[in-house]
Amino acid sequence: MSAQEPAAPAADFIRIDGVTKMFGPFKAVDNVSLNIGKGELFALLGGSGCGKTTLLRMLAGFEVPTSGKIYIDGQDMDGVPAYERPVNMMFQSYALFPHMTVAANVGYGLKHEPMTPAQRQDRVKEMLGLVQMSHLADRKPHQLSGGQRQRVALARSLAKLPKLLLLDEPLGALDKKLREHTQFEIANIQYKLGITFVVVTHDQEEAMTLASRIAVMDHGVIRQIGAPSDIYENPNSRFVADFIGSTNMVDAEVTKVDSEGVEVEAPLLGARVKVAASGWSVGEKAALAFRPEKVTISRKKPVSAVNVLKGKVQDFGYFGKDSLYRIKLATGHVLSVNTVNAERVAAEKAVATWEDEVYLTISPASAMLFRGET
Ligand code: ATP
């Protein structure tokens, strides 16, 4: 399966078909094809300038594709203006009306809906309840915290019950703790309403927590589409492995291939490493990668283990729930190793500390091999 052919849910609500967007000679979005199912919470994830906002704006109708097609709920969006699309967008700035109360802000978009005043009021109440802001309905935006303003903006963008809600960096203005909390809230609200959400973010943790599927974008193209666990555990390229989470990555060359997998020589590790992989030939160049938390660290030499490296603790950081080690190998190369502090232990009983000689074990199933530069 290529990155452009995701395992999309059967009922495709959004179909993006070979869409390219040029700004003059610059290709901001490059032949992207992507399907999103009804009721999905989908994230477009990528670094600054990768084209994710442009893609979102084309869904909203604020930009027109240079070529390719966009279908929403089976309807070709070609020539359909933003205000006629079954779509709403929540902007990063929230853009609340400062002179209106929370309730008036939420109800604003319902003014021209075919509803009675009582129905309108009920909808506003329902939306405020959903974002747990009922008790602050009479406040003005300047009397709210950043997190509360974000919730009002969410309620306002949901009030018309759009079929599709687009969220551009929805949590960008919030501090880390509030962001983590709000991520779960947004996911819960999305689940309750069953509205399709497409979220643009550059924050991988946010994408992983929020989304049922993620598209990783880079230079206008989609590099991989999958569930968060899929993208993390089975990145399809060096780029994605490096972009998502932390990775130890070194150049390697395949030295042996057998029924159990592949063995590679990695000069920077000063060792041969077995990898549970297939489809490789002896002599091929590769990038060998493994995540810091998949490495086991011990002071005692492990018996009968494969892929054991010896090194010395160069740096050690204790972060409460986990610890990060930087281990210097005999070659001088430094690896990152992450251990979870599942038990409460005294510092002197920690796995290892500065200058300790340690053994690192990497299971063949946790090691990954990638081809080429990307
Ligand atoms: P960020 O996270 O920084 O917002 P992004 O991935 O959302 O980045 P886009 O806003 O989609 O990026 O922009 C993609 C590229 O297209 C960027 O290089 C940007 O400079 C360019 N671009 C966007 N809008 C225009 C425009 N109206 N005219 C010219 N170039 C544009």
Side-chain angles (χ1 to χ4, degrees):
M1 195 192 307
S2 85
Q4 298 276 322
E5 292 167 328
D12 289 332
F13 178 64
I14 299 172
R15 257 182 62 204
I16 300 173
D17 217 353
V19 164
T20 292
K21 177 66 185 178
M22 307 289 299
F23 291 112
F26 179 74
K27 217 180 247 182
V29 173
D30 186 1
N31 192 24
V32 163
S33 293
L34 163 67
N35 298 340
I36 300 174
K38 201 171 179 60
E40 259 201 284
L41 207 173
F42 193 91
L44 294 170
L45 171 67
S48 182
C50 72
K52 54 195 187 299
T53 302
T54 304
L55 193 54
L56 198 76
R57 289 172 59 81
M58 287 193 279
L59 285 173
F62 300 138
E63 299 284 359
V64 178
T66 308
S67 59
K69 289 268 184 200
I70 293 178
Y71 301 87
I72 298 178
D73 206 11
Q75 194 193 349
D76 186 348
M77 288 292 119
D78 202 8
V80 180
Y83 59 87
E84 279 182 12
R85 297 189 181 199
V87 176
N88 210 345
M89 184 147 167
M90 191 180 116
F91 296 96
Q92 187 177 356
S93 61
Y94 308 154
L96 298 177
F97 299 114
H99 58 287
M100 285 187 193
T101 62
V102 164
N105 263 287
V106 173
Y108 183 79
L110 300 176
K111 264 189 182 164
H112 304 293
E113 292 292 288
M115 300 170 100
T116 65
Q119 284 171 327
R120 232 166 266 150
Q121 228 173 21
D122 283 350
R123 180 72 63 77
V124 169
K125 259 194 198 158
E126 184 192 342
M127 292 298 130
L128 286 176
L130 199 62
V131 298
Q132 296 170 26
M133 286 291 290
S134 309
H135 60 301
L136 300 177
D138 297 326
R139 290 237 185 126
K140 298 270 176 67
H142 74 271
Q143 296 167 313
L144 302 175
S145 72
Q148 289 164 342
R149 276 201 285 270
Q150 191 275 345
R151 285 194 251 158
V152 177
L154 182 62
R156 188 178 63 176
S157 57
L158 288 169
K160 278 165 81 172
L161 301 178
K163 288 183 183 170
L164 170 62
L165 184 65
L166 307 174
L167 302 103
D168 189 2
E169 302 276 359
L171 308 175
L174 307 183
D175 67 45
K176 188 169 158 44
K177 205 149 196 167
L178 194 53
R179 222 165 44 217
E180 283 171 3
H181 177 73
T182 315
Q183 280 160 12
F184 287 111
E185 268 187 8
I186 288 188
N188 279 337
I189 289 170
Q190 189 274 341
Y191 182 74
K192 268 190 209 157
L193 293 179
I195 291 173
T196 309
F197 277 26
V198 179
V199 180
V200 154
T201 179
H202 67 276
D203 181 334
Q204 47 156 307
E205 271 182 40
E206 189 162 303
M208 305 275 267
T209 317
L210 270 177
S212 47
R213 283 193 309 146
I214 298 172
V216 181
M217 285 190 77
D218 172 43
H219 286 95
V221 301
I222 291 179
R223 302 296 294 258
Q224 187 168 3
I225 298 173
S229 57
D230 219 21
I231 287 190
Y232 188 82
E233 301 291 351
N234 301 303
N236 66 357
S237 61
R238 202 173 163 148
F239 173 84
V240 175
D242 212 24
F243 184 73
I244 305 281
S246 312
T247 314
N248 292 297
M249 190 143 7
V250 291
D251 287 332
E253 187 177 324
V254 178
T255 49
K256 199 169 134 193
V257 175
D258 61 23
S259 59
E260 283 175 23
V262 173
E263 188 182 79
V264 297
E265 172 85 45
L268 281 178
L269 303 184
R272 292 194 169 189
V273 174
K274 284 187 171 21
V275 183
S278 56
W280 291 84
S281 321
V282 172
E284 266 192 278
K285 301 261 187 267
L288 168 69
F290 46 95
R291 304 259 186 219
E293 76 279 10
K294 310 274 194 215
V295 181
T296 312
I297 182 169
S298 61
R299 271 189 283 199
K300 265 201 205 146
K301 187 171 184 179
V303 276
S304 70
V306 293
N307 299 343
V308 179
L309 308 173
K310 196 174 167 190
K312 206 175 219 185
V313 178
Q314 187 187 49
D315 259 319
F316 166 55
Y318 173 78
F319 299 108
K321 67 179 181 347
D322 57 1
S323 296
L324 182 67
Y325 291 91
R326 309 262 303 150
I327 308 295
K328 192 169 184 174
L329 305 177
T331 57
H333 188 69
V334 177
L335 294 177
S336 298
V337 178
N338 202 213
T339 59
V340 175
N341 300 321
E343 283 175 38
R344 207 172 150 205
V345 289
E348 64 276 13
K349 294 235 180 87
V351 179
T353 186
W354 285 274
E355 296 299 318
D356 275 351
E357 291 232 322
V358 289
Y359 295 91
L360 306 179
T361 311
I362 307 149
S363 89
S366 296
M368 303 179 278
L369 278 188
F370 300 109
R371 281 194 170 83
E373 289 302 302
T374 56

